[in-house]
Amino acid sequence: MEEKPFPAWSWSVEQCLKEYNVKIDKGLSSYDVEKQRQRYGWNELAKEKGKPLWQLVLDQFDDTLVKILLVAAFISFILAYLHGSESGESGFEAYVEPFVIVLILVLNAIVGVWQESNAEKALEALKEMQCESGKVLRDGYLVPDLPAKELVPGDIVELRVGDKVPADMRIAALKTSTLRVEQSSLTGEAMPVLKGTSPVFLDDCELQAKENMVFAGTTVVNGSCVCIVISTGMNTEIGKIQKQIHEASLEESETPLKKKLDEFGSRLTTAIGFICLVVWIINYKNFLSWDVVDGWPANIRFSFEKCTYYFKIAVALAVAAIPEGLPAVITTCLALGTRKMAQKNAIVRKLPSVETLGCTTVICSDKTGTLTTNQMSVSEFFTLGGKTTSSRIFHVEGTTYDPKDGGIVDWTCYNMDANLQAMAEICAVCNDAGIHCDGRLFRATGLPTEAALKVLVEKMGVPDVKVRNKIRDIQLAGNYLIDRNTVKLGCCEWWTKRSKRIATLEFDRIRKSMSVIVREPTGHNRLLVKGAVESLLERSSHVQLADGSLIPIDEPCRQLLLTRNLEMSSKGLRCLGLAYKDELGEFSDYYAENHPAHKKLLDPACYSAIESDLVFVGVVGLRDPPRDEVDKAIEDCRAAGIKVMVITGDNKSTAEAICQEIKLFSGGEDLRGRSFTGKEFMALSPTQQVEILSKPGGKVAKEASDMVLADDNFSTIVSAIAEGRSIYNNMKAFIRYMISSNVGEVISIFLTAALGIPECMIPVQLLWVNLVTDGPPATALGFNPADVDIMRKPPRRSDDALINSWVLLRYLVIGSYVGIATVGVFILWYTQGSLMGISLVDDGHTLVSLFQLRNWGECPTWSNFTVSPYMVGGGRVITFSNPCDYFTIGKVKAMTLSLSVLVAIEMFNSLNAVSEDNSLVTMPPWRNPWLLFAMSFSFGFHCLILYVPLLADVFGIVPLSLNEWFLVILVSAPVILIDELLKFVGRSRRSAAKKEKTS
């Protein structure tokens, strides 16, 4: 049941307790718990049922081309069965055709199911964020490990450091002076968020503004507290995210390629049906005849056997027209694309989304960790110089927690002056963070801000020359104080040993600072403080100059410090003030908990008084820096016509500064109407929202996690888009290649039927060509190198034609040559003794006239028609008990020549597809070595079925002699010259059109 809206953040703790009729020291009663559970259910995310295996399998067959193939396979099976029943035979050869079709479709389905089922596991990530148990107060007793799923609204829960929050809860009381929660999983904020108990007097506010709430799936990184459970299960913020993801995932939308292929399939279906009908009608006289009596047909004679024979020719035409390998090749190419993207840390959940990336017009990106490194680092710091009216600014390079990553620019202060020593001491000792080296990667523990301060200290060095040299020697050997497995000697370690920490005044949101009391080498105590600059200045009476002298703060000095602080803040830097105090009064001899003044350290209300009359030292500016590669990625997006939108949970001014730094916004640009907080954007009308999102063009997709970034890096998105564009271009290449090849097959079958000659290829041979010999080169075209200007073109429109009119004309010309060459070599073998000096009658076969070949069905009526046996490879002799068998059994050699020409011509045609427009001279085939390997592989397979007797019998072919191979190459090679000429014409047309447009 969905609970009613309850703005707990704007209510007082007492009101929240009253809402659930619960006492903070008793918790809910068992009766109340049961009542709440009946109302709200269990505290767990809904387990959305994934698609069952059978449905995933069926989805793979929801494709027009696949459906046509299934029909063709069914018809082929019926015809094979009928032929076997009539002849009394049931040989395996008759069922090869339907078996191969079904096999390739099953393999295609297996690849698709495997990819999608693996990707679905990504949805489990949200569930892993859920807590398993919690410390809960019930019936007045503390249950230390109550299963989190049993929590109900109104439960009183205790949280400590390291705990994962089990539900959305209102903080009722703090058990420590501070509480920080890491909630980047919900808001994207890099820094842990400080929490409190005071109401936020806004009924509708952003998630990050709810400072008295903790949310399911986040983690406590500092402090402990007692909370009231407000929302559980799917009513939590993380539950709402899962619901939105699930709803978006149900909005199935077809990708541009899927739409084009379905459209192509529909048109192909119509064309195939029409052509098959025409072919059948052309040959009607062969199975249907009648006499004309008194102007009316009589004595109608129908031959079922011949009718099915010509129907099988029509099916062969369908098999030739359908690019059977296309679904498998597309699936394979997209799968290869996902692998290439995975190597670039982009994990694709749905195969079609690889291609869709090429249409991307808008990128909506998070800031923290995607545009930035998600590692805080000191960018610059400043202190006063020799007088109160001058300041000195130090710039710091490096963006990671590795002390050797960059350094302080123009740092010559090896013998640090007193002011810089004070700064280093405060950064090193007033600090709870740690850094450790995990192999080569440096990681932080504790607050990222404090970790960045420790890295700064390492870059500053120490004032002791001997110690500094010893540290340098150790670091040159690859060791650091922060590497727990090596010698713990470094700058921070030196400071912490020098200034022994004896007490801590924890941070609180009132004074906005923290401090530590340390014992100096002199034996005196000193208070080291860091916090918000404005807050520290209010409590500072003096400022330290470079030489260590202390000067009272006057108004010009205060304004100078505030101005410098404002300048740093405007750059998107988070500023921390540093100060100290030597005159500690009753704390000047503090040593341990039994000291008389210790009780004041237990009361945070006393901290402001202790941290008064401070000596201001300087300001440190930190940032979560942009990734180095983001600048180029943004430029690539701009050149590619892609709009970039940054969506972040961070501070608006900080986000704007980062966006200006990565050149998403230009410096000094008016950001009104371009930069919005979430609340500002949601306050706009739907029309205004659409207008903002659509400038300068494009839509924001609602697909849920079709692609996941493994490295959370913006440049990975851009690389994935470039890869998507390249994959689309390569898919167009192999689609054009396969379609042009199939057009050639259609024309060959149509010419055979139109001329009335015996079929020059049988369906199983066409299947072999489409699935086996065409498949590897088509797949290899997916490895074509990307165009050099791939990211200098605007995004293609989703409705752009897959094949435009010029390309269609080109491939109709190519296809016509393929068909003519395939049928032509068949006719040449029967009717000609030689071609261009190549003898065709060395095997001893009988030549016939073209008239006889076209009217071979009338052979039984011919008188004195005789033929001679002829020899094929392997010493086999083809003989005929009936001379008319010369046009059926005897066509095995001519059919082998036709099949070989078709295979060879399509291998040459694959070279044409290396580039749609560029000549083979400028884009040579060795630019894609995979294609050359695939051609060799396909041709090798063709030779395998030619020269292995068992396979040759299955496919109805015979071995060829060397002389006959010369004939095959001679007839096939011109396809390259024809396409080169067509490419030249195409380039000339585009050049002329471009000149006309510019003029």
Side-chain angles (χ1 to χ4, degrees):
M1 177 177 176
E2 190 168 327
E3 65 180 87
K4 63 181 180 181
F6 176 34
W9 59 89
S10 66
W11 290 20
S12 68
V13 173
E14 291 72 22
Q15 286 176 302
C16 293
L17 291 170
K18 187 177 180 182
E19 171 72 15
Y20 293 112
N21 192 27
V22 62
K23 293 184 178 178
I24 197 168
D25 57 343
K26 296 288 185 182
L28 291 175
S29 67
S30 300
Y31 173 76
D32 289 334
V33 168
E34 194 57 37
K35 215 164 62 167
Q36 291 290 77
R37 181 163 299 122
Q38 289 176 3
R39 182 179 180 187
Y40 297 108
W42 296 98
N43 177 34
E44 56 186 356
L45 297 182
K47 294 179 174 63
E48 305 293 349
K49 289 185 178 179
K51 287 184 179 180
L53 182 61
W54 63 267
Q55 189 172 347
L56 284 175
V57 172
L58 285 181
D59 286 348
Q60 308 307 313
F61 292 89
D62 186 21
D63 180 270
T64 307
L65 289 177
V66 173
K67 289 172 183 175
I68 298 172
L69 278 175
L70 285 172
V71 172
F74 177 75
I75 293 173
S76 296
F77 180 83
I78 296 298
L79 291 177
Y81 177 77
L82 291 176
H83 178 74
S85 298
E86 289 178 1
S87 62
E89 300 174 357
S90 56
F92 169 73
E93 295 87 349
Y95 294 94
V96 168
E97 180 186 324
F99 173 76
V100 172
I101 294 176
V102 172
L103 178 63
I104 198 68
L105 291 179
V106 169
L107 290 175
N108 181 59
I110 288 172
V111 173
V113 169
W114 174 78
Q115 178 70 21
E116 290 193 20
S117 60
N118 271 352
E120 283 303 316
K121 294 176 184 175
L123 289 178
E124 297 298 318
L126 283 177
K127 295 182 177 63
E128 292 176 4
M129 294 172 63
Q130 288 186 284
C131 177
E132 293 182 358
S133 62
K135 197 174 182 180
V136 185
L137 194 66
R138 284 189 178 170
D139 293 313
Y141 296 96
L142 193 63
V143 183
D145 53 359
L146 183 79
K149 66 174 290 186
E150 296 184 14
L151 286 176
V152 294
D155 262 326
I156 304 299
V157 179
E158 184 178 317
L159 294 176
R160 294 174 295 178
V161 174
D163 285 348
K164 192 169 281 189
V165 181
D168 287 5
M169 304 190 287
R170 170 69 158 89
I171 301 171
L174 297 181
K175 300 187 74 175
T176 55
S177 60
T178 56
L179 176 74
R180 287 188 178 89
V181 178
E182 197 279 312
Q183 57 185 37
S184 60
S185 57
L186 291 178
T187 65
E189 293 165 292
M191 297 295 300
V193 180
L194 193 68
K195 298 289 185 177
T197 59
S198 302
V200 178
F201 296 107
L202 289 171
D203 284 345
D204 182 23
C205 63
E206 298 166 348
L207 205 64
Q208 54 267 39
K210 298 175 182 178
E211 296 177 344
N212 53 18
M213 295 283 295
V214 290
F215 304 101
T218 61
T219 306
V220 178
V221 295
N222 172 251
S224 61
C225 64
V226 176
C227 305
I228 310 163
V229 174
I230 302 300
S231 300
T232 58
M234 295 299 290
N235 292 314
T236 61
E237 293 297 331
I238 196 171
K240 293 173 184 175
I241 291 174
Q242 174 167 315
K243 186 178 179 182
Q244 290 168 359
I245 288 176
H246 179 65
E247 288 174 352
S249 67
L250 295 177
E251 295 180 12
E252 295 291 343
S253 59
E254 293 186 331
T255 68
L257 181 65
K258 180 73 163 57
K259 290 178 181 177
K260 291 182 180 72
L261 290 177
D262 281 345
E263 182 182 338
F264 167 71
S266 300
R267 292 180 178 177
L268 188 62
T269 305
T270 305
I272 289 171
F274 177 75
I275 295 173
C276 288
L277 183 63
V278 169
V279 168
W280 208 23
I281 291 174
I282 287 174
N283 291 283
Y284 78 95
K285 289 185 179 180
N286 294 314
F287 56 83
L288 184 66
S289 61
W290 59 86
D291 298 327
V292 178
V293 179
D294 297 329
W296 291 92
N299 301 321
I300 297 174
R301 294 175 296 278
F302 175 76
S303 171
F304 180 77
E305 183 179 359
K306 288 187 176 181
C307 177
T308 55
Y309 173 80
Y310 285 102
F311 185 73
K312 194 167 184 179
I313 289 180
V315 172
L317 181 61
V319 171
I322 302 169
E324 289 89 354
L326 189 56
V329 170
I330 288 176
T331 302
T332 304
C333 187
L334 293 177
L336 290 172
T338 64
R339 286 189 61 189
K340 290 172 72 176
M341 288 187 175
Q343 292 169 356
K344 297 180 180 180
N345 293 311
I347 300 171
V348 176
R349 289 186 57 237
K350 295 182 180 179
L351 289 182
S353 61
V354 176
E355 170 270 328
T356 311
L357 285 168
C359 292
T360 301
T361 54
V362 179
I363 299 175
C364 294
S365 171
D366 179 30
K367 178 185 74 68
T368 305
T370 304
L371 296 174
T372 63
T373 63
N374 202 17
Q375 294 189 37
M376 295 298 291
S377 62
V378 176
S379 177
E380 61 184 64
F381 61 92
F382 79 83
T383 66
L384 291 180
K387 51 186 178 180
T388 58
T389 55
S390 66
S391 62
R392 48 184 182 168
I393 299 174
F394 299 89
H395 297 278
V396 185
E397 295 177 334
T399 60
T400 69
Y401 296 129
D402 182 355
K404 293 177 70 177
D405 176 20
I408 304 172
V409 178
D410 298 327
W411 183 250
T412 57
C413 308
Y414 288 115
N415 294 313
M416 291 189 292
D417 58 46
N419 180 239
L420 293 175
Q421 289 183 42
M423 174 171 280
E425 181 183 17
I426 296 167
C427 289
V429 185
C430 188
N431 195 318
D432 293 319
I435 304 174
H436 66 278
C437 183
D438 181 10
R440 288 188 173 184
L441 191 64
F442 287 80
R443 300 183 184 276
T445 56
L447 297 177
T449 300
E450 293 190 337
L453 294 180
K454 284 207 167 182
V455 175
L456 173 64
V457 174
E458 294 298 320
K459 292 177 179 180
M460 292 177 74
V462 294
D464 189 302
V465 178
K466 290 182 180 179
V467 173
R468 185 172 65 244
N469 291 339
K470 186 175 181 182
I471 292 172
R472 184 194 61 192
D473 293 341
I474 292 173
Q475 291 180 342
L476 286 174
N479 298 326
Y480 303 89
L481 92 117
I482 46 185
D483 186 345
R484 293 173 177 171
N485 299 318
T486 57
V487 181
K488 279 202 170 186
L489 181 61
C491 304
C492 291
E493 185 75 7
W494 185 84
W495 280 111
T496 54
K497 284 184 176 181
R498 175 186 177 278
S499 304
K500 187 177 179 182
R501 184 165 159 176
I502 56 177
T504 301
L505 284 70
E506 291 183 348
F507 180 93
D508 67 52
R509 60 193 314 112
I510 297 173
R511 73 187 206 284
K512 298 180 181 177
S513 61
M514 78 156 288
S515 58
V516 294
I517 299 175
V518 298
R519 179 67 51 84
E520 294 287 298
T522 59
H524 294 96
N525 286 353
R526 171 179 276 191
L527 183 72
L528 307 178
V529 191
K530 74 174 188 296
V533 176
E534 297 87 347
S535 178
L536 258 61
L537 275 175
E538 288 176 2
R539 287 178 277 142
S540 296
S541 58
H542 292 75
V543 65
Q544 186 183 49
L545 300 183
D547 60 2
S549 58
L550 306 183
I551 306 297
I553 297 180
D554 55 15
E555 192 56 30
C557 177
R558 187 181 303 275
Q559 291 304 317
L560 173 66
L561 294 173
L562 289 173
T563 301
R564 290 284 178 266
N565 178 62
L566 182 62
E567 289 173 355
M568 291 172 71
S569 298
S570 64
K571 298 176 186 177
L573 301 181
R574 184 185 182 196
C575 296
L576 278 179
L578 306 175
Y580 71 89
K581 180 178 180 180
D582 281 329
E583 301 299 327
L584 299 184
E586 59 184 318
F587 289 99
S588 60
D589 60 347
Y590 179 86
Y591 52 86
E593 293 182 1
N594 55 356
H595 189 276
H598 179 69
K599 60 183 179 180
K600 289 189 176 180
L601 296 179
L602 301 177
D603 183 7
C606 300
Y607 291 175
S608 292
I610 299 172
E611 294 176 354
S612 62
D613 199 24
L614 300 174
V615 176
F616 195 84
V617 173
V619 177
V620 175
L622 307 99
R623 64 171 183 160
D624 180 8
R627 293 178 180 269
D628 293 336
E629 61 272 25
V630 165
D631 276 0
K632 183 179 183 305
I634 293 290
E635 286 301 317
D636 286 344
C637 288
R638 191 170 283 118
I642 298 172
K643 181 179 180 181
V644 179
M645 299 177 64
V646 178
I647 301 173
T648 178
D650 219 333
N651 179 272
K652 181 180 177 181
S653 61
T654 303
E656 288 175 349
I658 289 290
C659 289
Q660 287 177 330
E661 189 171 350
I662 63 176
K663 300 182 178 62
L664 188 59
F665 295 147
S666 57
E669 181 181 356
D670 185 3
L671 300 182
R672 285 178 297 181
R674 297 202 61 189
S675 174
F676 300 88
T677 63
K679 191 173 181 182
E680 289 171 347
F681 185 77
M682 295 309 294
L684 299 173
S685 67
T687 305
Q688 290 173 310
Q689 291 176 352
V690 171
E691 185 180 347
I692 290 166
L693 291 176
S694 60
K695 292 178 181 178
K699 298 180 181 177
V700 180
K702 284 190 69 178
E703 289 281 330
S705 61
D706 278 355
M707 185 181 75
V708 179
L709 298 186
D711 62 353
D712 199 23
N713 190 333
F714 179 80
S715 65
T716 300
I717 305 173
V718 181
S719 297
I721 290 173
E723 192 66 44
R725 289 185 172 192
S726 177
I727 288 170
Y728 182 76
N729 287 345
N730 292 344
M731 280 197 295
K732 281 178 65 179
F734 69 70
I735 288 171
R736 290 193 309 269
Y737 161 67
M738 296 190 80
I739 290 175
S740 66
S741 299
N742 283 56
V743 167
E745 295 169 20
V746 169
I747 291 175
S748 68
I749 298 295
F750 186 80
L751 282 176
T752 300
L755 294 173
I757 64 176
E759 56 182 337
C760 60
M761 281 180 291
I762 56 178
V764 72
Q765 294 171 350
L766 292 171
L767 272 175
W768 176 260
V769 172
N770 288 348
L771 298 176
V772 181
T773 55
D774 277 1
T779 305
L781 289 172
F783 291 93
N784 279 346
D787 294 337
V788 290
D789 59 347
I790 191 76
M791 288 299 283
R792 292 202 292 271
K793 296 177 181 177
R796 73 175 193 278
R797 293 170 56 90
S798 60
D799 57 354
D800 280 352
L802 191 64
I803 299 176
N804 58 37
S805 56
W806 167 246
V807 173
L808 180 61
L809 175 62
R810 265 179 59 185
Y811 287 100
L812 283 176
V813 173
I814 295 295
S816 298
Y817 181 77
V818 173
I820 292 169
T822 304
V823 176
V825 77
F826 186 90
I827 296 173
L828 282 172
W829 186 83
Y830 269 106
T831 62
Q832 301 296 318
S834 64
L835 177 68
M836 297 181 68
I838 299 174
S839 175
L840 304 180
V841 291
D842 290 345
D843 55 9
H845 75 275
T846 304
L847 296 179
V848 298
S849 67
L850 181 59
F851 175 83
Q852 288 175 310
L853 185 62
R854 293 190 61 189
N855 294 277
W856 66 278
E858 300 174 8
C859 177
T861 65
W862 298 342
S863 60
N864 300 322
F865 177 69
T866 60
V867 292
S868 303
Y870 67 90
M871 183 174 289
V872 296
R876 178 184 168 194
V877 178
I878 306 295
T879 59
F880 315 99
S881 57
N882 182 345
C884 293
D885 290 342
Y886 186 50
F887 299 104
T888 53
I889 298 172
K891 70 176 181 178
V892 64
K893 173 65 75 70
M895 199 159 55
T896 303
L897 286 170
S898 287
L899 178 62
S900 298
V901 165
L902 181 61
V903 170
I905 209 169
E906 293 189 2
M907 294 304 102
F908 287 126
N909 193 27
S910 68
L911 297 177
N912 294 328
V914 170
S915 174
E916 181 176 346
D917 303 310
N918 293 319
S919 166
L920 284 174
V921 176
T922 57
M923 192 79 167
W926 50 84
R927 289 283 303 277
N928 184 355
W930 288 104
L931 178 59
L932 300 178
F933 173 77
M935 290 171 60
S936 304
F937 181 81
S938 292
F939 218 83
F941 255 111
H942 180 63
C943 291
L944 184 71
I945 66 168
L946 277 180
Y947 296 103
V948 174
L950 176 63
L951 294 175
D953 290 340
V954 169
F955 288 95
I957 52 180
V958 292
L960 295 179
S961 67
L962 185 61
N963 213 34
E964 288 160 344
W965 274 117
F966 281 132
L967 174 65
V968 168
I969 300 301
L970 180 66
V971 174
S972 306
V975 73
I976 292 179
L977 299 177
I978 294 171
D979 200 52
E980 285 291 298
L981 178 62
L982 291 170
K983 285 180 179 180
F984 175 76
V985 172
R987 290 195 299 271
S988 301
R989 289 175 69 249
R990 272 191 306 279
S991 178
K994 190 174 182 180
K995 287 180 181 178
E996 185 178 342
K997 188 176 181 180
T998 53
S999 61

